[in-house]
Amino acid sequence: RQLQMSIRDIPKSTRFVWSAPSTEEIATPGSIARAILATERTFLAWSRTGLGFVGAGFALAAAYHREHAALTPSIMPASALLIGNGAFLLLFATRRYWLVIAALRRDKFPMHTVGTLVAVLVTSVNTVAALAIVARAELVATATVATAESDK
């Protein structure tokens, strides 16, 4: 049996600006404890990915600051995109976790496929943009060095 969940069914403490107005829910026939543990594992996986993005953003900024100080200003937008990816995924994971726990308390499981697809799309676009920024900075630096060497 499928039910529609409205925004009013979500506890006020777990509502966010981007909460979906309605979500399909399915019954949970098995153990609630097993479902909660699976939800916690999923939350940890999303969080681990988010923290990885944050770490990659800071590592990128630190590496260019240390090795190529002249390129640091042009690399900062890429670092910001990666850190933004991480923050977005951490918020998404927290939101998803609390929505699922609230539904599991009612013996239901919310099917939020759109939210997951949006998270993947946003992080993919930001990651490709960050890679493009780094590639462009490297190409500009290489062209500048080649021009300086040919002028000598």
Side-chain angles (χ1 to χ4, degrees):
R1 185 175 124 178
Q2 297 177 351
L3 297 175
Q4 290 293 323
M5 184 174 110
S6 75
I7 193 75
R8 285 179 238 106
D9 296 330
I10 301 170
K12 287 185 181 181
S13 61
T14 61
R15 289 185 196 170
F16 285 83
V17 174
W18 63 83
S19 293
S22 66
T23 302
E24 179 184 352
E25 287 187 338
I26 58 173
T28 54
S31 166
I32 298 300
R34 184 176 27 169
I36 289 173
L37 291 173
T39 301
E40 288 176 354
R41 284 191 302 273
T42 303
F43 169 73
L44 290 173
W46 281 103
S47 298
R48 191 170 45 247
T49 303
L51 288 173
F53 272 114
V54 170
F58 280 111
L60 179 66
Y64 273 89
H65 180 70
R66 186 174 195 181
E67 299 296 325
H68 307 286
L71 290 179
T72 301
S74 58
I75 295 298
M76 285 311 196
S79 293
L81 282 172
L82 293 175
I83 293 168
N85 272 351
F88 173 75
L89 286 179
L90 289 168
L91 289 172
F92 173 80
T94 303
R95 173 190 169 268
R96 171 81 175 142
Y97 175 78
W98 287 113
L99 288 174
V100 171
I101 292 298
L104 286 174
R105 288 182 181 146
R106 296 186 315 272
D107 292 330
K108 303 292 179 195
F109 183 81
M111 301 297 293
H112 292 137
T113 54
V114 174
T116 303
L117 291 175
V118 167
V120 170
L121 181 66
V122 166
T123 56
S124 297
V125 168
N126 284 347
T127 302
V128 169
L131 290 172
I133 290 168
V134 171
R136 183 178 183 280
E138 286 290 335
L139 289 173
V140 168
T142 304
T144 303
V145 170
T147 304
E149 287 179 1
S150 67
D151 289 342
K152 288 183 182 181

